[in-house]
Amino acid sequence: MSNTFATIKTENEDGVLTITLNRPDSYNALDEQISVELTTALRMAERDPETRCIVLTGAGKAFCAGQDLIEIKSHYTDDGAKPLDFGVLLRSRYNPIVTRLRSIEKPVIAAVNGVAAGAGASLAFAADLRIGCKSASIAPAFINIGLIPDAGGTFNLQRIVGYAKAAEIWMLGEKVDAEEAYRVGLFNRLVDDEQLMPTTMELAKRLASMPTRGIGLTKRGMNRAWNSTLEDQLEYEAFLQQTAGMTEDHREGVLAFIEKRNAEFKGR
Ligand code: T3D
């Protein structure tokens, strides 16, 4: 993927696409440009067969501070400025990003390098896996400015940590530190700051060398399971397995086992 973006950086290495939110002075807050560029990068990653795992992280001290509040400050003056239509903003900017993160049939890892606030936290919760470092934290933020947890916040967090913990986090709006995030299962792994990217890349490269179609179909099945009956899900698994069973990687995996050698998966 060519790197022609202004507010994000992209880097390809061994099948891993790393997308770095790159507005460090504003803690990688989400303005219109970064939202468009992130959407574009994810769309390109979805189509690129060379990309077999995606890492999302932030430049500088923060992962992402959510909506850029400076961008929208003109709506908060006393002179009768038109109130912001959040519905329009969410539908046009945030919802396409979150939908893509959840539907892209490749593993997505959030490397949480610092504070993830508001919609920035929601982005991290939309990833499949989260690796946090000791100085990372989650700042629920929304309720502190009278808003609800958007960008999939009401949906994804309770699926990760359960309703009661999610309700506590979103309703109280108190910062969750890295140890607590790891303890409640919000971070899959917790590492020292300097180990964040090496650990993340090791895991990402491992995932990128695995049967990508199988992982993608696993994600599709798990996404669907939230709204299925057991019977529907069993039928859907049969359909997904029919597809997985026809992949080159499935054949390679079985042959490698029989021939007592390491499998070489191609992601097909
Ligand atoms: O349409 C819609 O708007 C609806 C969608 C809403 C989605 C949302 O995300 S709502 C939530 C928006 N985000 C927030 O409310 C978070 C606001 N930020 C903070 O609470 C704190 O900054 C943090 C907890 C993230 C970090 O605190 P701290 O003490 O470590 O850093 P800081 O000094 O507050 O911030 C550092 C810099 O980043 C600072 O810039 P400066 O003064 O050094 O030039 C600060 O202004 C900037 N920054 C932080 N958050 C934002 C931001 N700039 C713009 N927008 C931000 N959200």
Side-chain angles (χ1 to χ4, degrees), residues 14 52 204-212 263-266:
D14 297 339
R52 294 170 63 186
K205 286 180 188 179
R206 191 169 131 207
L207 283 162
S209 70
M210 293 176 68
T212 309
E264 275 186 47
F265 297 117
K266 300 279 188 334

Side-chain angles (χ1 to χ4, degrees), residues 46-180:
E46 189 168 38
R47 292 178 188 163
D48 179 8
E50 301 302 316
T51 297
R52 294 170 63 186
C53 181
I54 297 156
V55 170
L56 183 62
T57 192
K61 279 162 71 177
F63 176 75
C64 174
Q67 169 62 39
D68 188 323
L69 298 177
I70 309 300
E71 181 193 30
I72 59 174
K73 73 174 181 190
S74 62
H75 293 274
Y76 295 89
T77 55
D78 288 333
D79 60 6
K82 200 170 165 233
L84 186 60
D85 186 333
F86 291 116
V88 169
L89 208 106
L90 288 170
R91 288 185 193 103
S92 63
R93 286 192 198 174
Y94 291 78
N95 296 2
I97 296 172
V98 173
T99 309
R100 194 152 258 119
L101 285 170
R102 289 304 320 139
S103 65
I104 193 165
E105 294 197 355
K106 302 178 182 190
V108 179
I109 305 175
V112 187
N113 57 301
V115 65
S122 295
L123 284 189
F125 302 158
D128 299 300
L129 302 172
R130 279 153 295 283
I131 305 195
C133 64
K134 297 271 170 65
S135 63
S137 60
I138 305 298
F142 294 102
I143 200 61
N144 301 328
I145 53 172
L147 294 181
I148 67 113
D150 60 28
T154 58
F155 188 91
N156 289 316
L157 181 60
Q158 63 179 308
R159 284 166 163 79
I160 302 167
V161 297
Y163 180 86
K165 191 69 200 175
E168 182 185 319
I169 291 173
W170 286 137
M171 290 181 187
L172 288 178
E174 288 172 358
K175 225 181 208 189
V176 179
D177 67 23
E179 299 284 347
E180 173 75 350

